[in-house]
Amino acid sequence: MEPKLIRGGSHSDNRGNIVYNNDFDLSGIKRIYTIQNKNTNFIRAWQGHAIERRWFSVVRGSFEIKLIQIVNWVNPDKESKVFSKVLNDKSFDILCVPKGYVNSIQALEEDSKLLAMSDYLLGEIEDEYRFNPNYFTL
């Protein structure tokens, strides 16, 4: 399964602004949290899940999210294909990350905040994989 972007939108009128995503089904979500990197030079990479699915949306600022599908979790291909997406807070786009991916998250603006959602509760399964930030050839 490939990562998928569910497009949101925005509306402005004399009352103010609304940023929305009417096409996102929240029924599978069990946990939510936010991520704020310490600065725009820091890259939170590479971690992911063989079983857990996640969804990302920007609350404030902008982020570049890179994803790599992992076939062999013991010895991943260092030259795996990278899927890259830039998300911002102008619309409520949601990046759906299927199981089997690791991610890299970099804030592109200071004080950016990313909303993360998961289909498993913390500690419900043992499914976290981490690789050295320089492991993959980009």
Side-chain angles (χ1 to χ4, degrees):
M1 185 173 216
E2 295 270 327
K4 176 182 166 186
L5 186 68
I6 300 173
R7 294 249 182 236
S10 63
H11 175 77
S12 297
D13 62 22
N14 62 340
R15 300 170 292 173
N17 302 317
I18 296 175
V19 179
Y20 58 87
N21 192 312
N22 295 333
D23 297 323
F24 180 53
D25 178 3
L26 289 147
S27 61
I29 305 298
K30 290 188 176 181
R31 178 170 58 105
I32 64 172
Y33 53 97
T34 61
I35 297 170
Q36 287 183 272
N37 285 356
K38 61 183 177 180
N39 59 48
T40 57
N41 295 321
F42 178 74
I43 302 172
R44 186 181 299 264
W46 291 97
Q47 64 184 41
H49 306 278
I51 300 168
E52 184 178 315
R53 293 180 301 151
R54 288 186 298 162
W55 297 264
F56 295 111
S57 187
V58 175
V59 175
R60 180 175 53 237
S62 60
F63 284 86
E64 180 177 24
I65 300 174
K66 294 179 181 175
L67 303 169
I68 295 175
Q69 186 174 23
I70 304 297
V71 176
N72 180 342
W73 289 94
V74 175
N75 187 25
D77 181 356
K78 292 183 178 195
E79 296 182 5
S80 296
K81 178 183 170 187
V82 177
F83 173 89
S84 180
K85 198 68 174 168
V86 173
L87 301 175
N88 63 51
D89 61 4
K90 304 300 181 242
S91 65
F92 205 6
D93 292 347
I94 297 172
L95 179 61
C96 302
V97 181
K99 64 183 180 178
Y101 282 81
V102 292
N103 60 260
S104 163
I105 298 170
Q106 183 175 14
L108 301 177
E109 300 173 46
E110 293 298 329
D111 203 31
S112 291
K113 185 183 282 190
L114 184 68
L115 176 66
M117 297 166 274
S118 170
D119 63 346
Y120 283 92
L121 296 172
L122 188 62
E124 185 176 358
I125 57 173
E126 290 186 32
D127 182 44
E128 186 169 319
Y129 296 87
R130 293 178 185 258
F131 300 95
N132 182 298
N134 299 315
Y135 181 86
F136 297 98
T137 306
L138 303 179

